[in-house]
């Protein structure tokens, strides 16, 4: 079955410290992978996406993610976290589109930033 | 860009009434739109897939007679919650994929609609 696992429900990071949010997926074909961020009461904002090519993907707000096929992972990283990064982060996977296919979301990781 | 809007952004209604939520793709045509539901501090759960000009495909466990979806044009899909009850209170998010093969790889999300049923 297709699924996305975000092992960490809640992570607290000191401001200025580095961040890594984990994402593992189970998918039968080449996946299309996404990271979204959601602030309380808000919609989703796309941070970055991977379709093909270079496995290290750069996104907005200084985020990057690396696709590792051998590990079925797509971990999100940021070298220096800012207090404004505190939010909910969702990893999602999609696949071959046939008249549109919905994304499968992980359960999310809540990021708290301490001063 | 690829902008998706939702209206209203929040709505409060009495139990037993119906509420309609609109999802519009503002600057592109969307063959397919998706409706998700999100409970507090939980992930997005797909409710249904809406294809322009045809009936929506509902996920298992979603009552199609309660959550009516209409996708009458390439830029508009509506979700109507009929005879709403407090347990229908949730955050409803739509997304749209662009018409065309390459564009279908990405979905563009609306800002969401907060529904509170009293």
């Amino acid at each position: 079955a297709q699924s996305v696992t975000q092992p960490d429900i809640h992570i607290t990071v000191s401001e200025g410290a580095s961040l890594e949010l984990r994402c593992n997926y189970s998918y039968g074909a080449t996946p299309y992978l996404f990271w979204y961020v959601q602030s309380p009461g808000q919609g989703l904002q796309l941070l970055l996406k991977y379709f093909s090519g270079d496995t290290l993907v750069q996104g907005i707000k200084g985020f990057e993610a690396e696709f590792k096929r051998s590990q079925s992972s797509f971990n999100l990283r940021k070298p220096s976290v800012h207090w404004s990064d505190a939010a909910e982060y969702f990893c999602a996977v999609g696949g071959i589109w046939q008249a549109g296919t919905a994304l499968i979301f992980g359960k999310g990781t809540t990021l708290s930033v301490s001063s | 860009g690829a902008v998706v809007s939702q209206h209203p952004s929040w709505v409060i209604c009495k139990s037993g009434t119906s509420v309609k939520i609109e999802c519009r793709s503002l600057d592109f045509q969307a063959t397919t739109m998706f409706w998700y539901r999100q409970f507090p501090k939980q992930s997005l759960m797909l409710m249904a897939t809406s294809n322009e000009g045809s009936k929506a495909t509902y996920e298992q466990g979603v009552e199609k007679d309660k959550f009516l979806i209409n996708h009458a044009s390439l830029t508009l899909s509506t979700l109507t919650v009929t005879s709403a009850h407090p347990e229908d209170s949730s955050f409803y998010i739509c997304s749209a994929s662009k018409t065309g093969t390459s564009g279908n790889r990405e979905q563009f999300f609306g800002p969401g609609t907060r529904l509170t049923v009293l």
Side-chain angles (χ1 to χ4, degrees):
Chain A
Q2 302 157 359
S3 65
V4 176
T5 301
Q6 293 181 246
D8 305 304
I9 297 174
H10 191 177
I11 285 182
T12 299
V13 176
S14 298
E15 189 170 16
S18 64
L19 169 71
E20 182 171 34
L21 301 182
R22 296 183 290 166
C23 173
N24 293 96
Y25 66 89
S26 173
Y27 204 78
T30 300
Y32 300 137
L33 295 157
F34 307 83
W35 273 101
Y36 291 90
V37 62
Q38 185 182 35
S39 296
Q42 303 296 312
L44 299 179
Q45 181 179 26
L46 178 67
L47 286 176
L48 45 78
K49 59 192 177 186
Y50 172 77
F51 290 159
S52 64
D54 191 346
T55 57
L56 184 62
V57 180
Q58 301 297 320
I60 63 171
K61 302 184 178 183
F63 286 93
E64 66 176 28
E66 186 171 12
F67 171 56
K68 293 185 177 180
R69 184 187 302 275
S70 61
Q71 299 178 19
S72 296
S73 69
F74 188 57
N75 294 348
L76 181 72
R77 301 192 293 252
K78 186 170 185 177
S80 178
V81 170
H82 188 262
W83 64 266
S84 60
D85 294 323
E88 189 78 16
Y89 291 79
F90 293 99
C91 180
V93 64
I96 302 297
W97 302 99
Q98 292 182 349
T101 306
L103 297 182
I104 300 169
F105 284 86
K107 292 187 180 297
T109 297
T110 302
L111 173 64
S112 297
V113 180
S114 61
S115 56
Chain B
V3 181
V4 176
S5 70
Q6 281 184 242
H7 178 79
S9 55
W10 59 271
V11 57
I12 301 173
C13 69
K14 293 181 179 179
S15 184
T17 61
S18 294
V19 174
K20 179 184 285 188
I21 302 170
E22 293 185 348
C23 176
R24 292 182 184 272
S25 56
L26 298 184
D27 51 2
F28 66 98
Q29 292 185 328
T31 305
T32 305
M33 290 184 171
F34 306 91
W35 287 94
Y36 295 84
R37 183 175 182 176
Q38 186 181 31
F39 290 105
K41 298 195 179 299
Q42 294 191 27
S43 187
L44 280 74
M45 299 298 295
L46 179 68
M47 297 176 66
T49 301
S50 168
N51 291 300
E52 185 267 337
S54 62
K55 291 184 179 180
T57 302
Y58 291 82
E59 295 299 297
Q60 190 172 8
V62 177
E63 300 175 60
K64 61 181 179 181
D65 294 331
K66 180 169 188 59
F67 299 99
L68 301 179
I69 292 173
N70 183 275
H71 193 159
S73 76
L74 286 173
T75 60
L76 173 64
S77 176
T78 60
L79 167 67
T80 301
V81 183
T82 63
S83 186
H85 288 93
E87 57 265 30
D88 299 325
S89 299
S90 191
F91 194 53
Y92 293 88
I93 302 176
C94 74
S95 69
S97 60
K98 288 183 177 180
T99 301
T101 303
S102 61
N104 273 352
R105 293 179 178 180
E106 184 175 348
Q107 293 180 26
F108 303 93
F109 285 84
T113 296
R114 173 76 58 195
L115 171 62
T116 301
V117 184
L118 302 178

